[in-house]
Amino acid sequence: MRLVIGSDHGGLELKSAVSQSLGDRGLEVVDLGTDNGESVDYPDFAVKVAQEVARGEADCGVLVCGTGIGMSIVANKFPGVRAALATDEFMARMAREHNNANILVLGGRVLSADLACRMVEAWLDATYEGGRHQRRLDKIAAVEEDVRAGRI
Ligand code: RB5
């Protein structure tokens, strides 16, 4: 499984902790930056990760900025991307079970490294439940198509 990860300066430290913990798990983690503490713009890194997930070049992604808010706003512009901003393990697990989120978004100024690593594990270990949730995901896809076509 190919997992892509990205952050801005506000998420750099947490991203490093999460990357290391995922690497220890034997996952292929591809870090798309940023790679230093210099101030950068979160949309640039959200695009790198979301684009790979949207194109199917990566199975899933993790994005980290200060709060996670900016990264989620950008990532969810991509059709087919379901980026979930989570703040605890329950939300991370639900993001997979109910929303089949393909990107998990974290706040580097919100979460401890320990909690964030447990959240990513919970999300990766969880199984999408399908069923009634698939109907809802199909509606999201329909909304994307309607917006694209200018119908709504
Ligand atoms: C950068 O200071 C900060 O705005 C960014 O990391 C993020 O929190 C935006 O949503």
Side-chain angles (χ1 to χ4, degrees), residues 8-11 39-40 42 64-71 109:
D8 69 355
H9 54 289
S39 181
V40 290
Y42 60 80
V64 195
C65 63
T67 57
I69 295 170
M71 289 293 198
R109 296 172 180 155

Side-chain angles (χ1 to χ4, degrees), residues 2-6 32 45-55 58-65 68 71-86 91-92 94-96 99-106 119-120 123-124:
R2 178 182 163 91
L3 184 150
V4 285
I5 191 165
L32 300 178
F45 296 91
V47 165
K48 287 173 192 278
V49 167
Q51 200 166 51
E52 283 217 18
V53 173
R55 288 176 177 165
D59 301 291
C60 58
V62 173
L63 281 167
V64 195
C65 63
M71 289 293 198
S72 356
I73 291 171
V74 180
N76 280 311
K77 302 287 180 199
F78 284 75
V81 165
R82 291 176 301 279
L85 173 56
M91 288 178 76
M94 284 296 126
R96 174 71 72 197
N99 311 107
N100 203 17
N102 44 20
I103 296 183
L104 188 69
V105 190
L106 307 169
M119 287 169 61
V120 175
W123 172 61
L124 290 174

